[in-house]
Amino acid sequence: MKRYFQPVEKNGSAKKPTPSPSKKNDENGEILVEEDTKKEPLKFLTWNANSFLLRIKNDFPDFTKFVSEFDPDVISIQEVRMPAAGSKGATKNPAELKDDTSSSREEKQIIMRALSSPPFNNYRVWWSLSDSKYAGTALIVKKCFQPKSVFFNLDKKASKHETDGRVILAEFETFRVLNTYAPNNGWKEEENSFIRRRKWDKRILEFVSHHEEIDVSHPEFFSTAKQNNYVPPNKEDCGQPGFTLSERKRFANILKEYVSSTSEIDGGKLMDAYRFLYKEKDMEQGFSWSGNPIGKYRGKRMRIDYFIVSEKLKDRILACEMHGKGIELQGFYGSDHCPVTLVLSEASSINSGES
């Protein structure tokens, strides 16, 4: 749900952004992309696809058009919902899509065919997948902006993947991008979902964000929401997962912390890029998740997809937008989450001595 940025080093003030690669048509009508002169990724897109396979099957032409127009350098996908490679009972490979059965081979072909077509053929993809069609993340990066290193866990161990494929960490020249899919807080403590989420928040200490009433369309509805009339013993765990008082308190405390991702690099305070630019509630286009347009959740929306950046990068934030609109899920491309984008200006300088 969240994309986190931490600078490696930043000196001086920010420059204006270098333009994205220009596009033109050749004599056959094909789109040609001219060489990109940017030194690092500046345009980012994050999207909880709620099954990447289903989106490709049903909604991909519209999403492809959106990607072509925005022209992101990095695309972060959550809820891929594709199983990791490996037969039943065997050790799984979370970095590869399952293809050991006829159905899994067909599904993999559908996905890889989509990613080998324009504009995605200009990108490279990394996967971190669950053992089943659950959770999972993908990081899709333009081939001209390949990261210096990629990890699939918070411990930065070479071959380890987080449970359910919830983390992809890419290190670029002047910052790191952490693509995460946070566990759902759930409704009941006896299902261990509350404990799981607390453990996750503790581990992700230097990267989580703040979630306030301004970030939901109907605060009273979400704070009192129940599942099957169940009321948790701890009142702070009551309400819609993603908006419980317990979660919001942890977010608030963490955002205020001075954090460091490694012993030698000071990350500084963290910022919510969207809220940095927009201080007021936007009932039309200020939310990233929407309930079903039919039933009691109609019109009930939350902003639970974020770009969280180090405070050191705040002068480079040019735009952060939510691309869903209204209560009919326009711009959601079949998911219950809409894409969110971030645009940074180019760093003023890069210290070549920094590792």
Side-chain angles (χ1 to χ4, degrees):
M1 293 182 185
K2 305 175 178 72
R3 243 55 39 225
Y4 308 93
F5 292 80
Q6 219 172 9
V8 172
E9 183 159 324
K10 173 179 177 289
N11 297 319
S13 59
K15 292 181 179 179
K16 294 293 183 180
T18 304
S20 299
S22 59
K23 299 179 180 180
K24 60 182 180 181
N25 294 338
D26 66 6
E27 59 184 7
N28 297 317
E30 296 292 330
I31 294 179
L32 300 177
V33 180
E34 297 181 348
E35 182 179 357
D36 202 317
T37 58
K38 291 181 290 187
K39 295 180 180 179
E40 61 181 356
L42 299 176
K43 301 178 73 176
F44 305 85
L45 184 157
T46 182
W47 186 38
N48 181 317
N50 192 15
S51 178
F52 197 40
L53 178 65
L54 288 181
R55 302 291 78 79
I56 289 174
K57 286 182 175 181
N58 301 319
D59 308 275
F60 215 55
D62 289 339
F63 181 66
T64 296
K65 180 181 178 182
F66 171 71
V67 170
S68 298
E69 292 174 351
F70 179 68
D71 192 28
D73 300 324
V74 176
I75 303 171
S76 298
I77 303 291
Q78 305 86 44
E79 273 205 274
V80 172
R81 289 193 178 183
M82 288 296 293
S87 58
K88 186 176 181 180
T91 301
K92 303 299 190 292
N93 179 3
E96 297 289 342
L97 296 167
K98 182 179 176 66
D99 62 357
D100 62 292
T101 65
S102 58
S103 60
S104 64
R105 280 193 295 272
E106 180 181 354
E107 291 175 346
K108 179 178 179 178
Q109 288 173 358
I110 292 173
I111 288 179
M112 298 315 294
R113 191 180 301 122
L115 293 179
S116 63
S117 302
F120 299 99
N121 58 334
N122 292 319
Y123 295 78
R124 179 182 173 184
V125 60
W126 285 266
W127 306 99
S128 188
L129 306 170
S130 177
D131 290 350
S132 61
K133 287 187 174 181
Y134 173 72
T137 52
L139 190 70
I140 306 172
V141 182
K142 275 187 179 178
K143 293 175 181 177
C144 58
F145 295 123
Q146 291 309 293
K148 296 163 62 178
S149 59
V150 177
F151 299 95
F152 304 94
N153 59 85
L154 299 175
D155 305 315
K156 298 180 67 174
K157 294 181 179 178
S159 59
K160 176 186 174 184
H161 284 248
E162 293 289 341
T163 302
D164 299 327
R166 295 185 179 276
V167 167
I168 302 181
L169 171 63
E171 297 186 336
F172 293 93
E173 196 66 35
T174 65
F175 53 74
R176 299 175 177 87
V177 178
L178 178 62
N179 176 19
T180 71
Y181 175 52
N184 191 297
N185 192 67
W187 295 90
K188 296 183 179 181
E189 188 164 17
E190 55 264 32
E191 295 174 352
N192 295 322
S193 57
F194 293 171
I195 297 174
R196 180 180 65 163
R197 181 54 187 263
R198 289 189 182 103
K199 287 181 177 179
W200 170 268
D201 286 350
K202 185 177 180 180
R203 291 194 65 211
I204 205 88
L205 179 62
E206 65 259 33
F207 294 109
V208 283
S209 62
H210 191 190
H211 193 182
E212 301 178 348
E213 291 193 359
I214 192 175
D215 296 316
V216 298
S217 60
H218 297 75
E220 184 176 354
F221 174 87
F222 287 116
S223 63
T224 59
K226 301 175 184 177
Q227 187 182 59
N228 300 325
N229 292 319
Y230 174 79
V231 178
N234 185 343
K235 292 183 179 180
E236 291 190 354
D237 290 321
C238 294
Q240 179 76 29
F243 192 66
T244 63
L245 182 59
S246 176
E247 290 174 277
R248 286 185 284 147
K249 280 187 174 181
R250 293 197 301 271
F251 292 169
N253 290 335
I254 293 167
L255 194 64
K256 295 175 183 177
E257 292 291 328
Y258 282 94
V259 297
S260 175
S261 63
T262 66
S263 59
E264 71 273 11
I265 299 172
D266 179 16
K269 284 186 177 180
L270 298 176
M271 299 179 52
D272 177 347
Y274 178 84
R275 194 54 67 205
F276 172 69
L277 297 176
Y278 302 101
K279 311 300 183 187
E280 304 296 328
K281 179 183 288 189
D282 181 353
M283 289 295 291
E284 179 68 11
Q285 203 166 346
F287 310 105
S288 64
W289 175 90
S290 181
N292 194 314
I294 301 174
K296 69 177 183 179
Y297 273 88
R298 177 176 174 81
K300 308 302 191 299
R301 292 160 288 167
M302 300 191 293
R303 189 173 70 93
I304 54 175
D305 301 83
Y306 305 89
F307 279 103
I308 306 300
V309 306
S310 167
E311 194 175 52
K312 291 184 176 181
L313 291 174
K314 71 177 183 180
D315 292 333
R316 295 179 58 186
I317 301 173
L318 296 179
C320 186
E321 304 292 341
M322 241 129 317
H323 292 271
K325 188 177 182 181
I327 62 177
E328 301 298 336
L329 305 187
Q330 179 184 347
F332 282 69
Y333 306 106
S335 177
D336 53 351
H337 296 249
C338 73
V340 183
T341 59
L342 173 72
V343 181
L344 299 178
S345 65
E346 190 173 9
S348 59
S349 63
I350 297 176
N351 187 339
S352 59
E354 182 64 54
S355 62

